[in-house]
Amino acid sequence: MIPAAFDYARPSSLGDAVEALTDAGEDAKVLAGGQSLLPLLRLRLAYPTVLIDLGRVPELQGIADEGDHIRIGAMATHDDVVRSPLVNAACPLIALATATVADPAVRHRGTFGGALAHADPAGDLPAVALALDCVFLTRSASEGREIPAAEFFVDYLETAMDPGEILVAVKVPKLGAGWGYHYEKFHRTAQSWATVGVAAAVHRDDGTIQDVKVALTNMGSTPVRAGAVETAVRGLDPHDATSLAAACDQADQGTSPPADLHAQPDYRRHLARVLTRRAIRRAADLEPG
């Protein structure tokens, strides 16, 4: 199909981009990599009056070390993230999950910030951002804000950003030494959305799990933090398969998995329990990744 008619703006600075978005009002759409938006335009599921292209805004680019966290610009591509030595050294869970996004062609055009702002609960990156307690930096005409990941994802394809806000960057905390990471994903084909995914970070000390962070993909209208599992796993010996399995059987608590052509809720609940156990064991280096 052919998209509905719209005006096109291509600002060259963050200030110009915010001004263009403010002037356009609520009927505007922001274009990052376009891998999610362009199909919606073609199907006329989105029909903005103005499309604001962020491809030439330098303030949205780059990946930087800022001490206790790294800053990933919203317009950094997935390929930038996967190949970044800084990301791989400081927070490899980001790189592991991003490497599973779609295919190389999409990863070369799609953007880190665009995938997060799109807020599809079947996308891989929202759950990772939630697990790592990332912070989202936004900018509007009146202010800049820092929004914790736990508050950023509001509902299906909906975030806490106001209509006049642009996602500028994401702050990813450095967890430091002693942490292991894994992103476990079940999907029908290599390019498809996750039926269920699990992002896990595990800190081991003296043979036990001292801390753990777990979040789930496609188990509700937003990414879901598996709080019951995090509580149950702390203090366990990861070699104790029986206790670990019992703890991970709580992975689907508090979830509302969708029903669609690919899976029913009960199957997704089963996958969440199985994949959480697998992700934690692999993050703890007990199984090959």
Side-chain angles (χ1 to χ4, degrees):
M1 293 183 65
I2 300 174
F6 54 81
D7 292 329
Y8 176 80
R10 196 172 192 185
S12 57
S13 71
L14 180 57
D16 289 344
V18 170
E19 181 179 358
L21 185 58
T22 301
D23 291 344
E26 295 189 7
D27 291 331
K29 285 286 186 182
V30 168
L31 175 66
Q35 301 304 295
S36 297
L37 178 59
L38 291 181
L40 296 180
L41 295 178
R42 287 199 299 268
L43 293 171
R44 297 203 177 192
L45 297 175
Y47 33 89
T49 57
V50 181
L51 193 63
I52 300 170
D53 186 344
L54 302 180
R56 291 183 178 174
V57 179
E59 295 97 324
L60 307 182
Q61 305 287 345
I63 300 171
D65 189 333
E66 296 192 341
D68 62 350
H69 66 272
I70 66 169
R71 175 187 172 109
I72 303 178
M75 288 296 290
T77 67
H78 298 313
D79 188 65
D80 292 336
V81 171
V82 171
R83 295 177 182 272
S84 167
L86 181 56
V87 172
N88 280 278
C91 43
L93 182 57
I94 294 278
L96 289 170
T98 304
T100 74
V101 172
D103 55 35
V106 170
R107 292 195 292 272
H108 275 79
R109 289 294 304 170
T111 64
F112 185 73
L116 291 166
H118 187 56
D120 191 329
D124 302 292
L125 298 183
V128 174
L130 182 62
L132 293 177
D133 299 306
C134 293
V135 176
F136 295 77
L137 309 180
T138 68
R139 172 78 179 274
S140 68
S142 60
E143 63 176 348
R145 289 201 294 161
E146 295 194 358
I147 307 173
E151 301 172 10
F152 186 79
F153 303 104
V154 175
D155 206 342
Y156 182 74
L157 303 183
E158 182 180 345
T159 72
M161 289 196 299
D162 295 327
E165 281 184 296
I166 290 175
L167 179 61
V168 176
V170 179
K171 292 167 61 175
V172 184
K174 296 179 182 178
L175 296 184
W179 286 86
Y181 307 88
H182 189 70
Y183 184 68
E184 188 73 19
K185 177 178 179 178
F186 182 88
H187 48 172
R188 295 175 298 110
T189 66
Q191 293 81 27
S192 64
W193 298 98
T195 305
V196 173
V198 180
V202 174
H203 184 268
R204 291 178 62 190
D205 188 29
D206 293 330
T208 62
I209 297 174
Q210 298 298 312
D211 201 0
V212 61
K213 300 173 181 289
V214 181
L216 310 177
T217 295
N218 213 6
M219 286 296 290
S221 60
T222 66
V224 179
R225 190 73 178 253
V229 170
E230 293 178 344
T231 299
V233 164
R234 289 188 182 98
L236 290 183
D237 180 346
H239 292 89
D240 184 348
T242 300
S243 295
L244 184 63
C248 293
D249 280 346
Q250 303 179 56
D252 62 322
Q253 286 191 15
T255 65
S256 299
D260 55 32
L261 293 174
H262 310 304
Q264 294 300 304
D266 58 343
Y267 182 52
R268 283 193 161 94
R269 291 181 185 277
H270 166 73
L271 283 176
R273 296 190 291 268
V274 172
L275 298 183
T276 297
R277 181 171 67 251
R278 192 177 298 169
I280 289 175
R281 286 184 60 83
R282 289 181 175 174
D285 291 327
L286 297 180
E287 292 182 3

